């Protein structure tokens, strides 16, 4: 079979890898001048750094297995995560059940209740029972309004901005249930995985492997549209390779891995039912400022900011997990927000964001001085987070689209887990299998 693939992120590359491994021809078109999509990297201090902070959980087995298959297993380090919670003007440890018990902003009773319910959620497999209820309603009912407002609301706002009160409890269940798998039994310490050559190295190696297996991978190669014949079957792609005229290439099947709002622009005449599912999903963009500092800022890798007077919701100090020597001795801090593309935050430029953020860094470390900053970078990742509302399972578009031979594999179809490289790799490989099965059958 000949398969055309739109997008060279985790899903598109995994699909092409699986297809070429099975002896089929796959050709990947990636619009950006690099592979990896949301998990792509850029150069900092001689090392490769993700545009948005990235790590793996122990439960991310599809990604871990792929890294081993690519011969990069010895690069994958499992490191102790240091998680903190910024609340009431100080950083609280927030990694283990003992930390929870010491979290003074809640009463002892509230902490015990929180601990018991968190434990219960970790042991619950049946996510369907949470489908019809928002996390806000469930948590308020079971943990009380104050615990919800202190712990969970800031976290939900951090991930979903103004949509925080519409998020399904199933989404939160997934976070809690899977996270426990990242803890060592007994010790209750969480380990996070990181490929020491960066996620960029994994995706570049994947691209090389696809080519070795007989496929093709193009960067700076935009797909303009999916060609569909009069019988309603996809026949190819109109592609625009760098410096060349647009041309149509023919395929037996096409897999699209773009966000849904991009997909609808590439395909005309989608039937209303399917189109509705695509247009009704909303996404948030990630807006990031990355600072490189000449010294550490905080003691934590991951700091949840539960204080709305700070203009960012997460502070991830990458070099509190990964050795700064990889980046020429620079200490790397991500300041992050998720927001709608129409928001003021999204529209602001790098200098404006920096000026907004800098005065607040002294709240994290009173000694902080702007002279510590060596460089700063600004990244925006569109289509970063689909909004997962109640009864989401009924609104997921099928991988097999109503256009014959056209398949969709994007992050809106990952459920009940939260989107992540692991699930895009798993989905990419599964959809490749589906294409092969359909091709054999037909
Ligand atoms: C800030 C941030 C932090 C994250 N942290 C983690 C983490 O710690 N761990 C983790 O596992 N995951 C993390 N993720 C999520 C993870 O990066 C994504 O879920 C995953 O990479 C998505 O892969 P994908 O291939 O499905 O989609 P994408 O990566 O979005 O790939 C789609 C690709 O399609 C391309 N494209 C779009 N239109 C066209 C076109 N017309 N022609 C050609 N190409 C096109 C895009 O350029 C893109 O490369 C994070 C994401 C963000 C934004």
């Amino acid at each position: 079979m000949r398969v055309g693939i739109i997008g060279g992120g985790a899903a598109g590359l995994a699909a092409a890898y699986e297809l070429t491994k099975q002896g089929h021809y796959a050709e990947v078109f990636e619009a950006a001048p690099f592979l990896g999509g949301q998990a792509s990297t850029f150069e900092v201090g001689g090392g490769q750094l993700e545009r948005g902070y990235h790590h793996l959980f122990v439960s991310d087995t599809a990604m871990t297995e792929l890294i081993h298959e690519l011969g990069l297993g010895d690069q994958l380090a499992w490191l102790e995560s240091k998680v903190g919670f910024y609340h009431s003007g100080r950083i609280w440890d927030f990694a283990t059940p003992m930390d929870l018990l010491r979290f003074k902003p809640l009463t002892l009773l509230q902490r015990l209740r929180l601990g018991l319910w968190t434990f219960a959620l970790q042991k619950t497999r049946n996510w369907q029972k949470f489908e019809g209820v928002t996390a806000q309603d469930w948590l308020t009912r079971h943990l009380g309004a104050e615990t919800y407002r202190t712990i969970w609301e800031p976290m939900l706002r951090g991930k979903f901005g103004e949509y925080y009160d519409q998020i399904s409890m199933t989404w939160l269940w997934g976070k809690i249930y899977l996270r426990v798998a990242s803890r060592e039994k007994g010790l209750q310490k969480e380990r996070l995985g990181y490929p020491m050559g960066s996620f960029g190295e994994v995706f570049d190696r994947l691209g090389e492997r696809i080519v070795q297996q007989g496929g093709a991978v193009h960067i700076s190669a935009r797909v303009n549209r999916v060609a569909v014949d009069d019988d309603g079957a996809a026949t190819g792609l109109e592609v625009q390779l760098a410096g060349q005229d647009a041309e149509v290439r023919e395929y037996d099947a096409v897999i699209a891995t773009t966000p849904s709002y991009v997909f609808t622009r590439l395909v005309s005449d989608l039937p209303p039912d399917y189109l509705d599912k695509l247009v009704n999903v909303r996404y948030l963009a990630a807006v990031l400022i990355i600072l490189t500092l000449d010294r550490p800022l905080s003691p934590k890798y991951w700091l949840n900011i539960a204080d709305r007077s700070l203009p960012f919701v997460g502070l991830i100090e990458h070099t509190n997990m990964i050795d700064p020597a990889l980046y020429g001795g620079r200490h790397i801090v991500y300041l992050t927000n998720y927001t709608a593309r129409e928001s003021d935050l999204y529209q602001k430029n790098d200098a404006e964001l920096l000026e907004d953020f800098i005065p607040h860094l002294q709240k994290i470390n009173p000694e902080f001085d702007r002279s510590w900053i060596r460089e700063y970078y600004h990244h925006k990742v569109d289509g970063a987070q689909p909004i997962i509302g109640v009864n989401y399972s009924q609104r997921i578009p099928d991988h097999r689209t109503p256009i014959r031979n056209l398949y969709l594999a994007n992050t809106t179809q990952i459920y009940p887990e939260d989107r992540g490289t692991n699930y895009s790799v798993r989905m990419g490989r599964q959809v490749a299998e589906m294409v092969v099965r359909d091709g054999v059958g037909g």
Side-chain angles (χ1 to χ4, degrees):
M1 288 187 84
R2 285 174 54 83
V3 183
I5 297 179
I6 314 172
L13 291 171
Y17 173 69
E18 186 61 38
L19 285 161
T20 51
K21 198 174 159 199
Q22 295 190 26
H24 302 283
Y25 178 74
E27 191 162 22
V28 177
F29 299 94
E30 168 53 53
F34 44 77
L35 296 176
Q38 294 181 37
S40 59
T41 53
F42 68 113
E43 202 247 298
V44 174
Q48 285 295 314
L49 180 73
E50 290 68 30
R51 288 183 167 76
Y53 46 89
H54 268 73
H55 56 250
L56 295 173
F57 295 113
V58 172
S59 52
D60 287 342
T61 48
M63 186 67 177
T64 308
E65 279 165 28
L66 179 67
I67 291 173
H68 282 276
E69 270 182 68
L70 295 172
L72 292 171
D74 57 346
Q75 293 280 328
L76 184 57
W78 291 98
L79 306 151
E80 190 185 322
S81 84
K82 300 176 194 134
V83 181
F85 197 80
Y86 181 83
H87 185 279
S88 51
R90 59 164 279 194
I91 296 173
W92 301 85
D93 290 340
F94 219 67
T96 66
M98 277 315 285
D99 295 337
L100 208 60
L101 285 174
R102 292 191 203 102
F103 185 66
K104 297 262 172 52
L106 296 179
T107 65
L108 186 60
L109 197 64
Q110 287 167 334
R111 283 176 252 164
L112 287 171
R113 207 168 154 196
L114 174 62
L116 283 174
W117 275 111
T118 308
F119 182 74
L121 285 171
Q122 287 166 354
K123 299 286 166 207
T124 306
R125 278 163 185 263
N126 175 11
W127 56 266
Q128 285 87 348
K129 68 178 184 187
F130 302 122
E131 268 249 286
V133 58
T134 62
Q136 172 170 282
D137 286 349
W138 193 95
L139 293 165
T140 305
R141 195 166 349 116
H142 291 86
L143 301 177
E146 202 176 327
T147 305
Y148 168 72
R149 267 199 305 275
T150 307
I151 306 268
W152 300 104
E153 189 184 299
M155 290 206 194
L156 287 164
R157 278 185 187 272
K159 201 67 192 283
F160 294 102
E162 71 220 66
Y163 298 104
Y164 75 97
D165 55 354
Q166 297 172 32
I167 303 310
S168 162
M169 185 61 198
T170 303
W171 180 86
L172 193 76
W173 165 86
K175 281 275 168 201
I176 293 174
Y177 181 77
L178 290 169
R179 194 87 185 234
V180 77
S182 270
R183 292 181 194 281
E184 281 175 9
K185 288 208 170 56
L187 278 176
Q188 297 288 301
K189 274 191 187 148
E190 184 177 55
R191 302 243 160 222
L192 298 177
Y194 187 77
M196 298 309 279
S198 83
F199 279 76
E201 185 182 44
V202 174
F203 293 116
D204 286 344
R205 178 70 70 91
L206 193 52
E208 286 161 21
R209 196 56 79 79
I210 293 163
V211 174
Q212 281 163 13
Q213 291 176 171
V217 178
H218 309 279
I219 54 171
S220 304
R222 180 170 295 280
V223 172
N224 294 333
R225 68 179 176 91
V226 176
V228 179
D229 68 14
D230 293 343
D231 293 335
T235 54
L237 294 173
E238 184 185 295
V239 297
Q240 180 97 50
L241 272 60
Q244 296 180 26
D245 290 340
E247 57 171 307
V248 174
R249 297 197 181 185
E250 292 186 353
Y251 300 103
D252 302 314
V254 166
I255 302 176
T257 68
T258 69
S260 296
Y261 59 84
V262 175
F263 183 68
T264 53
R265 283 185 233 135
L266 300 178
V267 195
S268 40
D269 297 332
L270 282 164
D273 282 7
Y274 196 80
L275 191 61
D276 274 359
K277 287 187 170 158
L278 299 176
V279 296
N280 284 337
V281 65
R282 286 159 299 174
Y283 285 92
L284 293 177
V287 175
L288 302 129
I289 285 284
I290 305 174
L291 305 175
T292 72
L293 307 177
D294 64 4
R295 67 198 82 180
L297 178 69
S298 81
K300 298 296 179 197
Y301 163 65
W302 187 282
L303 195 54
N304 293 299
I305 307 291
D307 179 339
R308 293 277 64 77
S309 72
L310 276 71
F312 43 84
V313 296
L315 187 152
I316 294 100
E317 192 157 347
H318 180 72
T319 38
N320 282 340
M321 189 160 82
I322 309 300
D323 190 344
L326 283 182
Y327 313 97
R330 289 162 175 77
H331 294 261
I332 291 166
V333 175
Y334 293 90
L335 304 171
T336 180
N337 281 295
Y338 284 89
T339 186
R341 280 183 296 167
E342 301 73 35
S343 70
D344 290 348
L345 185 71
Y346 184 88
Q347 307 301 334
K348 283 190 178 180
N349 67 28
D350 53 351
E352 289 168 331
L353 284 173
L354 190 71
E355 290 315 315
D356 285 354
F357 290 178
I358 279 184
H360 298 276
L361 295 178
Q362 276 182 344
K363 295 180 183 168
I364 306 298
N365 180 345
E367 286 173 17
F368 171 78
D369 186 273
R370 69 184 298 153
S371 66
W372 295 9
I373 302 175
R374 288 278 160 272
E375 298 105 0
Y376 69 96
Y377 306 89
H378 177 209
H379 291 302
K380 293 196 271 196
V381 185
D382 289 353
Q385 179 69 52
I387 310 285
I388 309 293
V390 292
N391 298 320
Y392 187 79
S393 63
Q394 291 156 33
R395 285 182 277 134
I396 301 174
D398 286 343
H399 292 306
R400 290 184 182 90
T401 75
I403 309 269
R404 212 156 14 97
N405 305 333
L406 176 61
Y407 297 77
L408 179 68
N410 74 19
T411 54
T412 67
Q413 296 161 303
I414 293 165
Y415 186 76
E417 305 92 350
D418 189 24
R419 55 79 175 127
T421 52
N422 180 68
Y423 301 106
S424 284
V425 163
R426 186 181 73 184
M427 175 175 60
R429 295 184 86 155
Q430 283 171 348
V431 172
E433 299 267 5
M434 192 184 277
V435 169
V436 172
R437 271 198 315 274
D438 290 355
V440 171

